[in-house]
Amino acid sequence: MRNLIAANWKMHFDIDEAENTAKQMANSLKFTEIDVAVCANFIHLDRLNTVFSKTGIKLGAQNMYFEEKGAYTGEVSPVMLKSVGCEYVIIGHSERRHIFGETDELINKKIKSAKSHNLKPILCVGETLKEREDAKAFDVIARQIKEGLDGVDAEDVVIAYEPVWAIGTGVVADRNTIEEIHAFVRQIVGNLPILYGGSVKPSNAEQLASIKDVNGFLVGGASLVVEDFKSLIEKFIKIKGED
Ligand code: PEP
């Protein structure tokens, strides 16, 4: 299994800022030990495809619709993502689940569609603070994985464990929490890569990388600053090396 660190740029950057950041990444991120991907906004993908074309950096989207084409105003299809060079697509990010009301059923349709178009889905799972306090974290995560992957040949699927309360908050989950959730997810998904996401930054990357069953990171805020993103990748590689 190859480790993966994926950037999630969310709804940041205009087109020039995105291109400039991508160019800086193309010049400075030359890692061969692990896979590195940038999941950018739809409108950035075509330009970034050009910037990353002769580099090892892979391109990803942050969402997609499950249909190939048709009367779905405002949506973007897997065919479109392939046509601009995407290899990955984030599916079921907590912001999609909680702000845009995506259900496990919809997420499952998107995963099936992504797979059938040779896109590698990064399926995000994770509990809210309330669910954790109510001791429901394991049930929620098991449900999200089982329903998300129902009827799916899971080869090439990546799982990202992102506790909702740790995303963009600066609060990173503690070692025991991550260790026990990743071990639990491992029992369900076998040898699929399991990323950790939630306030990963250079200052905690080494600590997080040293946790068993952490096969990479999904990184929001710290991926917007090239030096920070580079530094946390270096720290991950220092601990995990090449798997
Ligand atoms: C994310 O966007 O998936 C994420 C984990 O964000 P942040 O690193 O900013 O917490």
Side-chain angles (χ1 to χ4, degrees):
M1 175 206 316
R2 243 171 106 72
N3 293 317
L4 167 69
I5 295 187
N8 175 13
W9 282 0
K10 309 195 189 195
M11 198 175 72
H12 291 289
F13 296 148
D14 66 22
I15 186 70
D16 293 326
E17 290 165 339
E19 185 173 41
N20 289 337
T21 307
K23 281 182 178 162
Q24 289 175 44
M25 286 192 174
N27 287 331
S28 66
L29 308 184
K30 304 201 170 162
F31 301 103
T32 54
E33 299 90 339
I34 65 166
D35 288 331
V36 174
V38 173
C39 299
N41 194 277
F42 293 133
I43 68 149
H44 301 148
L45 293 172
D46 192 28
R47 286 247 201 128
L48 265 52
N49 188 28
T50 307
V51 176
F52 293 150
S53 66
K54 291 190 178 66
T55 75
I57 302 172
K58 325 245 184 207
L59 191 59
Q62 301 168 11
N63 180 30
M64 54 166 253
Y65 195 53
F66 60 84
E67 295 286 1
E68 284 190 357
K69 61 179 174 182
Y72 304 102
T73 302
E75 293 297 317
V76 173
S77 81
V79 178
M80 294 169 180
L81 297 184
K82 285 302 282 187
S83 74
V84 290
C86 284
E87 182 170 331
Y88 290 95
V89 57
I90 298 173
I91 304 281
H93 190 278
S94 73
E95 288 148 19
R96 302 292 325 163
R97 292 178 190 265
H98 298 292
I99 301 174
F100 301 101
E102 292 200 5
T103 60
D104 290 312
E105 190 188 350
L106 176 63
I107 287 163
N108 177 251
K109 285 184 180 160
K110 292 185 176 193
I111 299 238
K112 283 181 174 156
S113 172
K115 287 255 347 175
S116 73
H117 291 89
N118 289 321
L119 287 158
K120 296 176 182 162
I122 301 175
L123 169 61
C124 297
V125 300
E127 79 286 2
T128 62
L129 189 56
K130 170 99 176 54
E131 289 162 342
R132 172 151 292 274
E133 285 167 354
D134 293 347
K136 289 189 182 142
F138 290 97
D139 290 348
V140 167
I141 291 163
R143 189 206 72 227
Q144 289 172 336
I145 296 174
K146 284 185 180 140
E147 294 187 16
L149 296 184
D150 186 38
V152 173
D153 162 14
E155 199 193 335
D156 285 336
V157 174
V158 176
I159 306 290
Y161 169 55
E162 300 205 301
V164 179
W165 43 274
I167 298 178
T169 58
V171 180
V172 72
D174 65 74
R175 189 181 186 89
N176 286 347
T177 301
I178 300 172
E179 210 162 61
E180 67 179 11
I181 297 283
H182 278 239
F184 176 72
V185 174
R186 174 71 65 221
Q187 282 174 12
I188 306 174
V189 303
N191 65 356
L192 298 184
I194 309 170
L195 315 185
Y196 169 77
S199 299
V200 178
K201 34 187 187 274
S203 59
N204 57 28
E206 259 183 71
Q207 172 80 356
L208 292 167
S210 70
I211 301 174
K212 188 167 182 277
D213 287 319
V214 170
N215 308 119
F217 302 136
L218 182 55
V219 188
S223 73
L224 301 170
V225 178
V226 178
E227 276 316 306
D228 287 353
F229 193 49
K230 182 180 181 187
S231 164
L232 68 85
I233 296 171
E234 284 168 345
K235 289 182 171 166
F236 179 90
I237 290 172
K238 184 173 149 205
I239 300 295
K240 279 270 176 1
E242 191 170 359
D243 270 4

